Structures are given as C-alpha cells and as structure tokens.
Amino acid sequence: MRIAFIGDIVGRPGRKIIKDKLHAFKKEFNIDFVIANGENASHGFGLTVKNCDELLKCGIDILTGGNHSFDKKSDMLALLETKPVLRPDNYPEGVLGSGVRVVMVNDEKLAIVNLMGMYSMPHVENPFNWASKLVEKLHNEGIKNIFIDFHAEATSEKRVLHMMFKNRVSAICGTHTHIGTDDLQIDEGTAYVTDVGLTGCRDNVIGMEKEMPIYRATTGLNGHFKVPNACKSILQFVVLDIIDGKTIEAFKVKSYCSSHEDVITKAFVE
Ligand code: FE2
C-alpha cells in the first residue's frame, strides 16, 4: 500500500493549499490512503466539525491530533464519536475518543496510531510504555502495517520512540513543532522523520503572524497567536510504500504556493 501523511495543517492557509493541491497529488503519486494531523486546522487551535468535513472532502481519510485536539472542545467531542478523527491515545483513561484506528487499505489492515510526548505537553500517560503495550496488542491481532503520528516537542523523545520501535512498526512520523526536519530515513523497515513540518503559512513563525511571537519573545508576556489571512504557503507530506509491515520506499514532498516546482527528497535507506 502507498500512504501519505501530511503534518500539522495550520488554519485557513493550510486548508486552502490542501484544497488546491491534494487531489492532484493523490492522482500523480497513486496514493491509496491519506492521514493528516488536524489539531491546528481551525484558526490554528483545534478542529471544528465544518473544517473537518472540508478536509475529508479534499481527500484526507483520517485526521490525527495532539495538544490542541480539544481546543474546540464541543466540536471535537462530536468528531471523535462520528468521524475518522483521532486524539493522542495516551490521554488518561476516561477521556473521550481513541488514538488508534484500524482500516482496510487494498484489502490489508493498517493501524493508524496517534501518540503524544511528555516534554512541554499536557499531562498524559508515558507514551513509550503505552506504545509497547499497544504495538504488542496490534501484533497479537495479526496487524503488521502500523503507522504512528508521534506529536511531541522534544526531538529526543521522537528518536527514543524510533529506537524502541524500529523493525516493529511501519513508520513513525513526528508532528507538533511545525518545522520540517531533513532526516527522513528507513531503518530496518521503519520509516522515520522527526517532524514532517506544517502545511500552512511558511513566511511567519510556525504558521502564525509574527507580531505576537516577537512580543512574547521580547517581553516575556503572553498573548494569543493568530493565523494570517494571507501568506506564502506550503504543503508538506511524506509518501510511504509499505509491504508486509515494512516501509520499502519513502519520500517527502514540499509544494510551494508560489512555485510549480515541487521539492522531492527520497528517504535514506539504512
Ligand atoms: Fe501540537
């Protein structure tokens, strides 16, 4: 199967470039299934029912989340019950929803897993121990194709998950920092990238207007980040070819709103 994963979609500019380009990319690269992180898709904070429907119509099959999953709480509670929307699985017991979904892609099972790191994040259960139990359970159920969106601030946490689960899952793709990293690789059949990077504004600060981040950085005072109405945008995603639980080929696509030439980088295969 060939799946694609889009990192954090940030606000209207992120939704717009997906609407403009995703259908054509799915066709061009023969993509069977699309996963995207949607926790920042509505005004940069959370996901509304309306924006979720809009993204699903653009060709996304399932949306993952993170520390902003519940920012639009009533919408999110409805989405978790009715739509292909995940929140990090390692939220404490009792929180609505799930971070695991098993789907059929080309007559094969694919498990999509969403986990959240601990550093600078809400208080969740230890994602590493959580993943150990979860991956073992999926393997016991005969599910080999396992994709993990690891939503974490610390690059070291992402590397730890990679070291723990290479050869046991098909892919670990990082999200949350909004800045794409240049380390896409395949190691013992597991694709890994520390962060896919945002889909949205690329000429500001992590997809947000620059004024408030500068104010916060220079005064130490807080304020609300805003997604610009207009900006130069980028769509970033990874494409993974998975056979029998192993990723055999992977590449990253960066598509700029202002250029017809996309940047495509192949994964380094260990
Ligand atoms: Fe996040």
Side-chain angles (χ1 to χ4, degrees), residues 61-266:
D61 296 292
I62 191 163
L63 287 150
T64 53
N67 54 310
H68 292 297
S69 278
F70 291 95
D71 285 3
K72 307 269 188 289
K73 199 172 169 193
S74 58
D75 280 61
M76 191 59 181
L77 295 178
L79 288 171
L80 287 168
E81 288 195 313
T82 58
K83 301 282 178 179
V85 173
L86 301 178
R87 47 79 169 163
D89 201 54
N90 54 322
Y91 265 106
E93 207 177 313
V95 175
L96 190 81
S98 163
V100 184
R101 183 76 58 101
V102 179
V103 298
M104 295 303 289
V105 179
N106 297 346
D107 297 326
E108 275 190 85
K109 282 183 181 172
L110 167 70
I112 299 113
V113 175
N114 186 193
L115 293 168
M116 185 153 65
M118 299 177 84
Y119 175 74
S120 188
M121 286 298 196
H123 292 175
V124 288
E125 306 290 349
N126 181 304
F128 310 101
N129 298 332
W130 192 276
S132 291
K133 286 181 198 154
L134 181 58
V135 169
E136 194 185 340
K137 182 174 169 277
L138 291 169
H139 285 170
N140 288 341
E141 289 168 10
I143 298 166
K144 292 180 182 171
N145 306 310
I146 302 172
F147 171 89
I148 301 178
D149 168 5
F150 189 30
H151 197 80
E153 175 76 24
T155 53
S156 53
E157 288 188 344
K158 291 171 177 173
R159 293 295 303 166
V160 166
L161 200 76
H162 179 209
M163 290 301 110
M164 285 179 71
F165 292 96
K166 68 179 178 178
N167 201 25
R168 293 161 70 192
V169 302
S170 313
I172 299 168
C173 292
T175 54
H176 176 69
T177 70
H178 293 195
I179 305 298
T181 56
D182 188 22
D183 58 346
L184 179 63
Q185 60 197 267
I186 301 171
D187 190 1
E188 297 183 30
T190 300
Y192 171 83
V193 64
T194 300
D195 209 297
V196 177
L198 68 82
T199 284
C201 292
R202 62 184 158 84
D203 55 351
N204 293 281
V205 178
I206 62 165
M208 304 290 179
E209 279 179 354
K210 64 181 185 301
E211 285 73 16
M212 186 51 70
I214 291 173
Y215 173 78
R216 278 171 64 159
T218 54
T219 65
L221 301 176
N222 250 332
H224 187 69
F225 284 15
K226 273 193 221 152
V227 178
N229 286 325
C231 62
K232 291 177 191 161
S233 59
I234 187 170
L235 167 61
Q236 309 191 65
F237 59 97
V238 291
V239 177
L240 309 163
D241 284 325
I242 302 171
I243 295 179
D244 208 21
K246 306 276 186 208
T247 296
I248 53 153
E249 205 179 318
F251 58 91
K252 161 110 182 255
V253 179
K254 289 196 280 185
S255 183
Y256 297 88
C257 67
S258 50
S259 168
H260 292 297
E261 274 185 48
D262 303 317
V263 177
I264 298 178
T265 315
K266 275 186 82 166

Side-chain angles (χ1 to χ4, degrees), residues 21-32:
K21 294 191 175 216
L22 185 58
H23 278 304
F25 274 129
K26 281 183 80 171
K27 227 178 191 177
E28 181 183 348
F29 294 125
N30 291 313
I31 294 164
D32 301 311

